[in-house]
Amino acid sequence: MAEKLVIKVTAGADAPERCSQAFTVAAVAAASGVDVSLWLTGESAWFALPGRAAEFELPHAAPLPDLIAGIQSGGRITLCTQCAARRGIREEDVLDGVRIAGAQVFVSEIMPDGVQALVY
């Protein structure tokens, strides 16, 4: 059984169901005691900014701010360095507890034994 779950979400408001699924799985895993690392890439990068998750709506889905709080209570959220730069997002702009890191850190998280990686 995997000891850590790393989820990369590439979708944002452009693909709301896929986006919501990634956040939901990450939050449920964190609530279940799994070590979770959620990576925000592509259009999901916008959710690293304060207030942006509250703008996201999807019928019958948990609110993104609640899911983010659940993920942060038992895991880590990382914003892709290049994705942040392309959108003009700086470290001082992001939610408390969100780090900005690049591919080297992502690879170092997914390569050890006992890690399960998912991409949405």
Side-chain angles (χ1 to χ4, degrees):
M1 179 177 206
E3 299 168 11
K4 181 174 184 175
L5 179 61
V6 180
I7 298 175
K8 179 184 276 194
V9 56
T10 63
D14 59 325
E17 287 184 310
R18 192 162 30 109
C19 174
S20 180
Q21 289 169 0
F23 280 89
T24 300
V25 168
V28 168
S32 300
V34 176
D35 182 9
V36 174
S37 176
L38 179 72
W39 282 72
L40 305 176
T41 67
E43 286 302 296
S44 72
W46 295 114
F47 298 126
L49 296 175
R52 293 302 284 266
E55 298 171 5
F56 180 87
E57 291 184 13
L58 181 63
H60 311 291
L64 274 190
D66 295 348
L67 296 173
I68 289 170
I71 296 162
Q72 287 184 312
S73 72
R76 164 170 271 176
I77 298 177
T78 304
L79 171 59
C80 162
T81 302
Q82 290 183 18
C83 301
R86 281 190 282 274
R87 289 160 180 81
I89 300 172
R90 301 166 307 184
E91 201 167 323
E92 59 268 18
D93 299 329
V94 301
L95 295 166
D96 288 341
V98 173
R99 69 175 174 172
I100 297 177
Q104 180 181 8
V105 175
F106 180 77
V107 170
S108 73
E109 283 192 16
I110 65 169
M111 292 309 296
D113 289 338
V115 176
Q116 174 69 53
L118 302 173
V119 178
Y120 284 88

